[in-house]
Amino acid sequence: MAMKTISFLSIISFLALTLSLVIASDPSPLQDFCIGVNTPANGGLHNARAVNNAVGSNVTGVNVNNLPGLNTLGISLVRIDYGVNGQNPPHTHPRATEILVVQQGTLFVGFVSSNGDGNRLFTKTLNKGDVFVFPEGLIHFQANVGRSPAVAFAALSSQNPGVVTIANTVFGSNPPINPNVLARAFQLDPKVVIDLQNKF
């Protein structure tokens, strides 16, 4: 009887250990991979992009929307071109952590921790080859602080990370957010809020 109990307990222990190892791994994707047959190429990321907009930067993304082969793989990539004094303004990716590497130039980068962590600002000045990580969902930015154009590449941990540009979202919503709501939130005169809304 004691031998049967020991054997039974050994088998249960082995199964429990095996099951916990299986559960600890990432879930399998819905499919092994997806090849984008007959999908037009997006032009690649080797050429500089024009930065003739108000913020002085251009973000070129490679995600599941323009490269179907990324479907279920959980990654995407962007190239960011910055003019002199250009910036990638404060924004967030609700579905992805981002790792950025500077290919050319000098960038001042940072992110802000969440409200529960005291809204602490983490910043660093990056030069060619330097790397910085922006945690998922946190507001972050990059600004070209060099005397020439800059280029960076970033990988994101989602096939479709999403992007919410803070100023565009708050002041450029359609329809506009009531100026009194924003005036109180930002502690500004409603006329200033209306002026900002007109810019976006």
Side-chain angles (χ1 to χ4, degrees):
M1 179 81 170
M3 189 62 145
K4 285 183 180 180
T5 303
I6 292 172
S7 292
F8 179 73
L9 288 176
S10 297
I11 291 170
I12 294 297
S13 298
F14 174 76
L15 289 174
L17 178 61
T18 304
L19 184 59
S20 68
L21 292 174
V22 171
I23 292 173
S25 67
D26 287 338
S28 296
L30 298 175
Q31 58 194 33
D32 290 335
F33 53 87
C34 170
I35 299 175
V37 179
N38 298 326
T39 302
N42 69 354
L45 298 178
H46 54 281
N47 294 323
R49 305 310 203 262
V51 292
N52 53 0
N53 55 36
V55 295
S57 71
N58 189 333
V59 179
T60 306
V62 178
N63 57 47
V64 72
N65 295 324
N66 55 21
L67 184 62
L70 291 175
N71 189 36
T72 75
L73 298 182
I75 58 171
S76 56
L77 183 69
V78 296
R79 173 191 173 120
I80 313 162
D81 291 275
Y82 309 83
V84 175
N85 297 318
Q87 64 172 267
N88 190 6
H91 64 281
T92 182
H93 303 290
R95 296 181 291 276
T97 291
E98 174 181 347
I99 184 167
L100 178 132
V101 61
V102 178
Q103 184 201 24
Q104 167 188 320
T106 303
L107 297 177
F108 178 70
V109 304
F111 68 88
V112 180
S113 68
S114 63
N115 292 354
D117 293 327
N119 295 320
R120 185 171 171 202
L121 175 63
F122 297 87
T123 64
K124 188 164 186 174
T125 299
L126 306 179
N127 296 297
K128 182 177 180 177
D130 289 341
V131 175
F132 197 84
V133 175
F134 304 105
E136 179 177 342
L138 296 185
I139 295 172
H140 59 282
F141 63 89
Q142 306 101 36
N144 182 358
V145 293
R147 295 182 180 179
S148 61
V151 178
F153 288 89
L156 298 108
S157 63
S158 171
Q159 69 181 24
N160 188 10
V163 63
V164 179
T165 306
I166 306 307
N168 293 7
T169 303
V170 172
F171 297 109
S173 67
N174 185 13
I177 298 171
N178 183 312
N180 293 319
V181 171
L182 295 179
R184 186 160 191 181
F186 288 97
Q187 300 182 23
L188 296 170
D189 185 295
K191 292 176 184 173
V192 173
V193 171
I194 293 167
D195 185 49
L196 288 167
Q197 288 176 321
N198 289 334
K199 287 181 181 0
F200 289 92

